[in-house]
Coordinates of all heavy atoms in Angstrom, one line a residue:
M1365 N 15.4 28.4 -46.5 CA 15.7 27.0 -46.1 C 14.6 26.5 -45.1 O 14.4 27.2 -44.2 CB 17.1 26.9 -45.5 CG 17.5 25.5 -45.1 SD 19.2 25.4 -44.6 CE 18.9 24.9 -42.9
S1366 N 14.1 25.4 -45.4 CA 13.1 24.8 -44.5 C 13.8 24.3 -43.3 O 14.9 23.7 -43.3 CB 12.2 23.8 -45.2 OG 13.1 22.7 -45.6
E1367 N 13.2 24.4 -42.1 CA 13.8 23.9 -40.9 C 13.5 22.5 -40.7 O 12.3 22.0 -40.6 CB 13.2 24.7 -39.7 CG 13.7 26.2 -39.6 CD 15.2 26.3 -39.5 OE1 15.8 25.5 -38.7 OE2 15.8 27.1 -40.2
K1368 N 14.5 21.7 -40.7 CA 14.4 20.2 -40.5 C 15.3 19.9 -39.3 O 16.4 20.4 -39.2 CB 14.9 19.4 -41.7 CG 14.1 19.7 -43.0 CD 14.6 18.8 -44.1 CE 13.9 19.1 -45.4 NZ 14.6 20.0 -46.3
H1369 N 14.8 19.0 -38.5 CA 15.6 18.5 -37.3 C 16.7 17.6 -37.9 O 16.5 16.7 -38.6 CB 14.8 17.8 -36.3 CG 15.7 17.2 -35.3 ND1 16.4 17.9 -34.3 CD2 16.2 15.9 -35.1 CE1 17.1 17.1 -33.6 NE2 17.0 15.8 -34.1
T1370 N 18.0 18.0 -37.5 CA 19.1 17.1 -37.8 C 19.9 16.9 -36.6 O 19.9 17.8 -35.7 CB 20.0 17.7 -39.0 OG1 20.4 19.0 -38.6 CG2 19.2 17.8 -40.3
D1371 N 20.6 15.8 -36.5 CA 21.4 15.5 -35.3 C 22.8 16.3 -35.3 O 23.4 16.5 -34.3 CB 21.7 14.0 -35.2 CG 20.3 13.3 -35.0 OD1 19.7 13.4 -34.0 OD2 19.9 12.6 -36.0
A1372 N 23.2 16.6 -36.5 CA 24.5 17.4 -36.6 C 24.5 18.1 -38.0 O 23.7 17.9 -38.8 CB 25.7 16.4 -36.6
A1373 N 25.4 19.1 -38.1 CA 25.5 19.9 -39.3 C 27.0 20.2 -39.6 O 27.8 20.3 -38.7 CB 24.7 21.2 -39.1
I1374 N 27.3 20.3 -40.9 CA 28.6 20.6 -41.3 C 28.5 21.5 -42.6 O 27.6 21.4 -43.4 CB 29.4 19.3 -41.7 CG1 30.9 19.6 -42.1 CG2 28.7 18.5 -42.8 CD1 31.7 18.4 -42.2
D1375 N 29.5 22.5 -42.6 CA 29.5 23.4 -43.7 C 30.8 23.1 -44.5 O 31.9 23.3 -43.9 CB 29.6 24.9 -43.2 CG 29.6 25.9 -44.3 OD1 30.0 25.5 -45.5 OD2 29.3 27.1 -44.1
I1376 N 30.7 22.6 -45.7 CA 31.9 22.3 -46.5 C 32.1 23.2 -47.7 O 32.7 22.9 -48.7 CB 31.9 20.8 -47.0 CG1 30.6 20.5 -47.8 CG2 32.0 19.9 -45.8 CD1 30.7 19.1 -48.5
T1377 N 31.5 24.4 -47.6 CA 31.6 25.4 -48.7 C 33.1 25.9 -48.9 O 33.4 26.5 -49.9 CB 30.7 26.5 -48.6 OG1 30.9 27.2 -47.3 CG2 29.2 26.1 -48.7
D1378 N 33.9 25.7 -47.9 CA 35.3 26.2 -47.9 C 36.3 25.2 -48.4 O 37.5 25.5 -48.4 CB 35.7 26.8 -46.5 CG 35.6 25.7 -45.5 OD1 34.9 24.6 -45.7 OD2 36.3 25.8 -44.4
V1379 N 35.9 24.0 -48.8 CA 36.8 23.0 -49.3 C 36.4 22.5 -50.7 O 35.2 22.7 -51.1 CB 36.9 21.8 -48.3 CG1 37.6 22.3 -47.0 CG2 35.6 21.2 -48.0
V1380 N 37.3 21.9 -51.4 CA 37.0 21.4 -52.7 C 37.1 19.8 -52.7 O 37.7 19.2 -51.9 CB 38.0 22.0 -53.8 CG1 37.8 23.5 -53.9 CG2 39.4 21.7 -53.4
C1381 N 36.6 19.2 -53.8 CA 36.6 17.8 -54.0 C 38.1 17.4 -54.1 O 38.9 18.1 -54.7 CB 35.9 17.4 -55.2 SG 34.1 17.5 -55.0
P1382 N 38.5 16.2 -53.6 CA 37.7 15.2 -52.9 C 37.6 15.4 -51.4 O 37.0 14.6 -50.7 CB 38.4 13.9 -53.2 CG 39.9 14.3 -53.2 CD 39.9 15.7 -53.8
I1383 N 38.1 16.5 -50.9 CA 38.0 16.8 -49.4 C 36.6 17.0 -48.9 O 36.3 16.7 -47.8 CB 38.9 18.0 -49.0 CG1 40.4 17.8 -49.5 CG2 38.9 18.3 -47.5 CD1 41.1 16.6 -49.0
T1384 N 35.7 17.4 -49.8 CA 34.3 17.6 -49.4 C 33.7 16.3 -48.9 O 33.2 16.3 -47.8 CB 33.5 18.1 -50.6 OG1 33.8 17.3 -51.7 CG2 33.8 19.6 -51.0
F1385 N 33.9 15.2 -49.6 CA 33.3 14.0 -49.1 C 34.0 13.4 -47.9 O 33.4 12.9 -47.0 CB 33.3 12.9 -50.2 CG 32.7 11.6 -49.8 CD1 31.4 11.6 -49.4 CD2 33.4 10.5 -49.7 CE1 30.8 10.4 -48.9 CE2 32.9 9.3 -49.3 CZ 31.5 9.3 -48.9
V1386 N 35.3 13.7 -47.8 CA 36.1 13.2 -46.7 C 35.5 13.9 -45.4 O 35.3 13.2 -44.4 CB 37.6 13.5 -46.8 CG1 38.4 13.2 -45.6 CG2 38.2 12.7 -48.0
K1387 N 35.3 15.2 -45.5 CA 34.8 15.9 -44.3 C 33.4 15.4 -43.9 O 33.1 15.2 -42.7 CB 34.7 17.4 -44.6 CG 36.1 18.0 -44.6 CD 36.0 19.5 -44.5 CE 36.7 20.0 -43.2 NZ 36.8 21.4 -43.1
V1388 N 32.5 15.1 -44.9 CA 31.2 14.6 -44.6 C 31.3 13.2 -44.0 O 30.6 12.9 -43.0 CB 30.3 14.5 -45.9 CG1 29.0 13.8 -45.6 CG2 30.1 15.9 -46.4
K1389 N 32.2 12.4 -44.5 CA 32.4 11.0 -44.0 C 32.9 11.0 -42.6 O 32.4 10.3 -41.7 CB 33.4 10.3 -44.9 CG 33.4 8.8 -44.7 CD 34.2 8.1 -45.8 CE 34.3 6.6 -45.5 NZ 35.0 5.9 -46.5
V1390 N 33.8 11.9 -42.2 CA 34.3 12.1 -40.9 C 33.1 12.5 -39.9 O 33.0 12.0 -38.8 CB 35.5 13.0 -40.8 CG1 35.8 13.4 -39.4 CG2 36.7 12.4 -41.5
A1391 N 32.3 13.4 -40.4 CA 31.2 13.9 -39.6 C 30.2 12.8 -39.3 O 29.6 12.7 -38.2 CB 30.5 15.1 -40.3
L1392 N 30.0 11.9 -40.3 CA 29.0 10.8 -40.2 C 29.6 9.8 -39.2 O 28.8 9.1 -38.5 CB 28.8 10.1 -41.5 CG 27.8 10.9 -42.4 CD1 27.8 10.3 -43.8 CD2 26.4 10.8 -41.9
E1393 N 30.9 9.7 -39.1 CA 31.5 8.7 -38.1 C 31.1 9.0 -36.7 O 31.0 8.1 -35.9 CB 33.0 8.7 -38.2 CG 33.5 8.0 -39.5 CD 35.0 8.1 -39.7 OE1 35.7 8.6 -38.8 OE2 35.4 7.6 -40.8
D1394 N 30.8 10.2 -36.4 CA 30.4 10.6 -35.0 C 28.9 10.3 -34.7 O 28.4 10.5 -33.6 CB 30.6 12.1 -34.8 CG 32.1 12.4 -34.8 OD1 32.9 11.5 -34.5 OD2 32.5 13.6 -35.0
L1395 N 28.1 9.9 -35.7 CA 26.7 9.7 -35.6 C 26.4 8.2 -35.5 O 27.1 7.4 -36.1 CB 25.9 10.3 -36.8 CG 26.1 11.8 -37.0 CD1 25.3 12.3 -38.2 CD2 25.6 12.6 -35.7
A1396 N 25.3 7.9 -34.9 CA 24.8 6.5 -34.9 C 23.9 6.2 -36.1 O 23.4 7.2 -36.7 CB 24.0 6.2 -33.6
D1397 N 23.8 5.0 -36.5 CA 22.9 4.7 -37.7 C 21.5 5.2 -37.4 O 21.0 5.1 -36.3 CB 22.8 3.1 -37.9 CG 24.1 2.6 -38.6 OD1 24.9 3.4 -39.0 OD2 24.2 1.4 -38.7
G1398 N 21.0 5.8 -38.4 CA 19.6 6.4 -38.3 C 19.6 7.9 -38.0 O 18.6 8.5 -38.1
Q1399 N 20.8 8.4 -37.5 CA 20.8 9.8 -37.2 C 21.1 10.6 -38.5 O 21.5 10.0 -39.5 CB 22.0 10.1 -36.2 CG 21.6 9.7 -34.8 CD 22.6 10.2 -33.8 OE1 23.8 9.9 -33.9 NE2 22.2 10.9 -32.8
T1400 N 20.8 11.9 -38.5 CA 20.9 12.7 -39.7 C 21.9 13.8 -39.6 O 22.2 14.3 -38.5 CB 19.5 13.3 -40.1 OG1 19.1 14.1 -38.9 CG2 18.5 12.2 -40.4
L1401 N 22.5 14.1 -40.8 CA 23.5 15.2 -40.9 C 23.1 16.2 -41.9 O 22.7 15.8 -43.1 CB 24.8 14.5 -41.3 CG 26.0 15.5 -41.6 CD1 26.5 16.2 -40.3 CD2 27.2 14.7 -42.2
A1402 N 23.1 17.4 -41.6 CA 22.8 18.5 -42.6 C 24.2 18.9 -43.1 O 25.1 19.2 -42.4 CB 22.1 19.7 -41.9
V1403 N 24.3 19.0 -44.5 CA 25.5 19.4 -45.1 C 25.2 20.7 -46.0 O 24.4 20.6 -46.8 CB 26.0 18.3 -46.0 CG1 27.4 18.7 -46.7 CG2 26.2 17.0 -45.2
H1404 N 26.0 21.7 -45.8 CA 25.9 22.9 -46.6 C 27.1 22.9 -47.6 O 28.3 22.8 -47.1 CB 26.0 24.2 -45.7 CG 25.8 25.5 -46.3 ND1 24.6 25.8 -46.9 CD2 26.6 26.5 -46.6 CE1 24.7 27.0 -47.4 NE2 25.9 27.5 -47.2
L1405 N 26.8 22.8 -48.9 CA 27.8 22.6 -49.9 C 27.6 23.5 -51.1 O 26.5 24.0 -51.3 CB 28.0 21.2 -50.2 CG 26.9 20.4 -50.9 CD1 27.3 19.1 -51.5 CD2 25.7 20.2 -50.1
N1406 N 28.6 23.6 -51.9 CA 28.6 24.4 -53.1 C 28.0 23.7 -54.3 O 28.0 22.4 -54.4 CB 30.0 24.9 -53.5 CG 30.6 25.9 -52.5 OD1 29.8 26.8 -52.1 ND2 31.8 25.8 -52.2
D1407 N 27.6 24.5 -55.3 CA 27.2 24.0 -56.6 C 28.4 23.4 -57.3 O 29.5 23.6 -56.9 CB 26.6 25.1 -57.4 CG 25.8 24.6 -58.6 OD1 25.6 23.4 -58.8 OD2 25.2 25.5 -59.3
G1408 N 28.2 22.7 -58.4 CA 29.3 22.1 -59.2 C 29.7 20.7 -58.7 O 28.8 19.9 -58.4
E1409 N 31.0 20.4 -58.6 CA 31.4 19.1 -58.2 C 30.9 18.6 -56.9 O 30.5 17.5 -56.8 CB 33.0 19.1 -58.2 CG 33.6 18.9 -59.6 CD 35.1 18.7 -59.5 OE1 35.5 17.5 -59.1 OE2 35.9 19.6 -59.7
P1410 N 30.9 19.5 -55.8 CA 30.4 18.9 -54.6 C 28.9 18.4 -54.6 O 28.7 17.3 -54.2 CB 30.5 20.1 -53.6 CG 31.6 21.0 -54.2 CD 31.4 20.8 -55.7
I1411 N 28.0 19.2 -55.2 CA 26.6 18.7 -55.3 C 26.5 17.5 -56.2 O 25.5 16.7 -56.1 CB 25.6 19.9 -55.6 CG1 24.2 19.5 -55.3 CG2 25.8 20.3 -57.0 CD1 23.9 19.1 -53.9
Q1412 N 27.4 17.4 -57.2 CA 27.3 16.3 -58.1 C 27.9 15.0 -57.5 O 27.3 13.9 -57.6 CB 28.1 16.6 -59.4 CG 27.5 17.6 -60.3 CD 28.4 18.1 -61.4 OE1 29.4 17.5 -61.7 NE2 28.1 19.2 -62.0
N1413 N 28.9 15.2 -56.7 CA 29.7 14.0 -56.2 C 29.3 13.6 -54.8 O 29.3 12.3 -54.5 CB 31.2 14.3 -56.3 CG 31.7 14.5 -57.7 OD1 31.1 13.9 -58.6 ND2 32.7 15.3 -57.9
V1414 N 29.1 14.5 -53.9 CA 28.8 14.1 -52.5 C 27.6 13.2 -52.4 O 27.7 12.2 -51.7 CB 28.8 15.3 -51.6 CG1 28.3 15.0 -50.2 CG2 30.2 16.0 -51.5
P1415 N 26.4 13.6 -52.9 CA 25.3 12.7 -52.8 C 25.5 11.3 -53.3 O 25.1 10.3 -52.7 CB 24.1 13.5 -53.5 CG 24.6 14.9 -53.5 CD 26.1 14.8 -53.6
R1416 N 26.1 11.2 -54.5 CA 26.4 9.9 -55.1 C 27.3 9.1 -54.2 O 27.1 7.9 -54.0 CB 27.0 10.1 -56.5 CG 27.2 8.8 -57.2 CD 27.8 9.0 -58.6 NE 29.2 9.5 -58.5 CZ 29.6 10.6 -59.1 NH1 28.7 11.4 -59.8 NH2 30.8 11.1 -58.9
S1417 N 28.4 9.7 -53.7 CA 29.3 9.0 -52.8 C 28.6 8.6 -51.5 O 28.9 7.5 -51.0 CB 30.5 9.9 -52.5 OG 31.2 10.3 -53.7
L1418 N 27.7 9.4 -51.0 CA 27.0 9.0 -49.8 C 26.1 7.7 -50.1 O 26.1 6.8 -49.3 CB 26.1 10.1 -49.3 CG 26.8 11.3 -48.7 CD1 25.9 12.5 -48.5 CD2 27.4 10.9 -47.3
K1419 N 25.5 7.7 -51.2 CA 24.6 6.6 -51.6 C 25.5 5.3 -51.8 O 25.2 4.2 -51.3 CB 23.8 6.8 -52.8 CG 22.7 7.8 -52.6 CD 22.0 8.2 -54.0 CE 21.1 9.4 -53.8 NZ 20.6 9.9 -55.0
D1420 N 26.7 5.5 -52.4 CA 27.6 4.4 -52.6 C 28.1 3.8 -51.3 O 28.4 2.6 -51.2 CB 28.8 4.8 -53.4 CG 28.5 5.1 -54.9 OD1 27.4 4.8 -55.3 OD2 29.3 5.7 -55.5
E1421 N 28.1 4.6 -50.2 CA 28.6 4.2 -48.9 C 27.4 3.6 -48.1 O 27.6 3.3 -46.9 CB 29.2 5.4 -48.1 CG 30.5 5.9 -48.8 CD 31.7 5.2 -48.3 OE1 31.8 4.8 -47.1 OE2 32.7 5.0 -49.1
G1422 N 26.2 3.6 -48.6 CA 25.1 3.1 -47.9 C 24.2 4.0 -47.1 O 23.5 3.6 -46.2
H1423 N 24.4 5.3 -47.3 CA 23.6 6.3 -46.6 C 22.5 6.8 -47.5 O 22.6 6.7 -48.7 CB 24.5 7.5 -46.2 CG 25.8 7.1 -45.5 ND1 25.7 6.4 -44.2 CD2 27.1 7.1 -45.8 CE1 26.9 6.2 -43.8 NE2 27.8 6.6 -44.7
K1424 N 21.5 7.3 -46.9 CA 20.3 7.8 -47.6 C 20.2 9.3 -47.6 O 20.1 9.9 -46.6 CB 19.0 7.2 -46.9 CG 17.7 7.5 -47.7 CD 16.5 6.9 -47.0 CE 15.3 7.2 -47.8 NZ 14.1 6.6 -47.1
V1425 N 20.2 9.9 -48.8 CA 20.0 11.3 -49.0 C 18.5 11.6 -48.9 O 17.7 11.2 -49.7 CB 20.6 11.8 -50.3 CG1 20.3 13.3 -50.5 CG2 22.1 11.5 -50.4
L1426 N 18.1 12.3 -47.8 CA 16.7 12.6 -47.5 C 16.2 13.8 -48.3 O 15.1 13.9 -48.7 CB 16.5 12.8 -46.0 CG 16.9 11.7 -45.1 CD1 16.8 12.0 -43.7 CD2 16.1 10.4 -45.5
S1427 N 17.1 14.8 -48.5 CA 16.6 16.0 -49.2 C 17.8 16.8 -49.7 O 18.9 16.7 -49.2 CB 15.8 16.9 -48.3 OG 16.6 17.5 -47.2
V1428 N 17.6 17.5 -50.8 CA 18.6 18.5 -51.4 C 17.8 19.7 -51.7 O 16.9 19.7 -52.5 CB 19.3 17.9 -52.6 CG1 20.2 18.9 -53.2 CG2 20.0 16.6 -52.3
D1429 N 18.2 20.8 -51.1 CA 17.6 22.1 -51.3 C 18.6 23.1 -51.9 O 19.6 23.3 -51.3 CB 17.0 22.7 -50.0 CG 15.9 21.8 -49.4 OD1 15.0 21.4 -50.2 OD2 16.0 21.5 -48.2
Q1430 N 18.2 23.7 -53.0 CA 19.0 24.8 -53.6 C 18.7 26.1 -52.9 O 17.5 26.4 -52.7 CB 18.7 24.9 -55.1 CG 19.7 25.8 -55.8 CD 19.5 25.7 -57.3 OE1 18.6 25.0 -57.8 NE2 20.4 26.3 -58.1
N1431 N 19.7 26.8 -52.5 CA 19.5 28.1 -51.8 C 19.5 29.3 -52.7 O 19.1 30.4 -52.2 CB 20.7 28.2 -50.8 CG 20.6 27.2 -49.7 OD1 19.6 26.8 -49.2 ND2 21.8 26.6 -49.4
G1432 N 19.8 29.2 -53.9 CA 19.7 30.4 -54.8 C 21.0 31.3 -54.8 O 21.0 32.3 -55.4
D1433 N 22.0 30.9 -54.0 CA 23.2 31.6 -53.9 C 24.4 30.8 -54.3 O 25.5 31.1 -54.0 CB 23.4 32.2 -52.5 CG 23.6 31.1 -51.4 OD1 23.4 29.9 -51.8 OD2 23.8 31.4 -50.3
G1434 N 24.2 29.7 -55.1 CA 25.2 28.9 -55.5 C 25.6 27.8 -54.4 O 26.6 27.1 -54.6
T1435 N 24.7 27.7 -53.4 CA 25.0 26.6 -52.4 C 23.7 25.8 -52.3 O 22.6 26.2 -52.7 CB 25.3 27.2 -51.0 OG1 24.2 27.9 -50.5 CG2 26.5 28.1 -51.1
Y1436 N 23.9 24.6 -51.7 CA 22.8 23.7 -51.4 C 22.9 23.2 -50.0 O 23.9 23.3 -49.3 CB 23.0 22.4 -52.3 CG 22.7 22.6 -53.7 CD1 23.7 23.2 -54.6 CD2 21.5 22.2 -54.3 CE1 23.5 23.4 -55.9 CE2 21.3 22.4 -55.7 CZ 22.3 23.0 -56.5 OH 22.0 23.2 -57.8
D1437 N 21.7 22.8 -49.5 CA 21.6 22.1 -48.2 C 21.1 20.7 -48.4 O 20.1 20.5 -49.0 CB 20.7 22.9 -47.3 CG 21.3 24.2 -46.8 OD1 22.5 24.1 -46.3 OD2 20.7 25.2 -47.0
L1438 N 21.9 19.8 -48.0 CA 21.6 18.3 -48.2 C 21.4 17.7 -46.8 O 22.1 18.1 -45.8 CB 22.8 17.7 -48.9 CG 22.9 16.2 -49.2 CD1 23.7 16.0 -50.5 CD2 23.6 15.5 -48.0
V1439 N 20.4 16.8 -46.6 CA 20.3 16.1 -45.4 C 20.4 14.6 -45.7 O 19.8 14.1 -46.6 CB 18.9 16.4 -44.7 CG1 18.7 15.5 -43.5 CG2 18.7 17.9 -44.4
V1440 N 21.3 14.0 -44.9 CA 21.6 12.6 -45.2 C 21.4 11.8 -43.9 O 21.6 12.3 -42.8 CB 23.1 12.4 -45.7 CG1 24.1 12.9 -44.7 CG2 23.4 10.9 -46.0
E1441 N 20.8 10.6 -44.0 CA 20.6 9.7 -42.9 C 21.7 8.6 -42.9 O 21.9 8.0 -43.9 CB 19.2 9.0 -43.0 CG 19.0 8.0 -41.9 CD 17.7 7.2 -42.1 OE1 16.8 7.7 -42.9 OE2 17.6 6.2 -41.4
K1442 N 22.4 8.5 -41.8 CA 23.5 7.6 -41.7 C 23.0 6.1 -41.8 O 22.1 5.7 -41.1 CB 24.3 7.7 -40.4 CG 25.5 6.8 -40.4 CD 26.3 7.0 -39.2 CE 27.5 6.0 -39.1 NZ 28.4 6.2 -38.0
G1443 N 23.5 5.4 -42.8 CA 23.2 4.0 -42.9 C 21.7 3.7 -43.4 O 21.2 2.6 -43.2
G1444 N 21.1 4.7 -43.9 CA 19.7 4.6 -44.3 C 19.4 3.7 -45.5 O 18.3 3.2 -45.6
L1445 N 20.5 3.3 -46.2 CA 20.3 2.3 -47.3 C 20.7 0.9 -47.0 O 20.6 0.0 -47.7 CB 21.0 2.8 -48.6 CG 20.5 4.1 -49.2 CD1 21.3 4.5 -50.4 CD2 19.0 4.1 -49.6
A1446 N 21.3 0.8 -45.8 CA 21.9 -0.5 -45.4 C 20.8 -1.5 -45.0 O 19.7 -1.1 -44.7 CB 22.9 -0.3 -44.2

């Protein structure tokens, strides 16, 4: 995984949809617009749904990296599409 500076991080590999997006949304509430959140999530529904839901909410997905172990690391900027 490449080292990127983020303002906060959350691991949602232990929860399933739709709780995955709820946890990300709650974590974003603690950040100011323009700050970034790193999200560690599973393959399947989470990687399909969370980025789309973030965009729908007006946030900008900066990167999605596949880890090779069935997980991904996503970096999102709060309010980046607003």
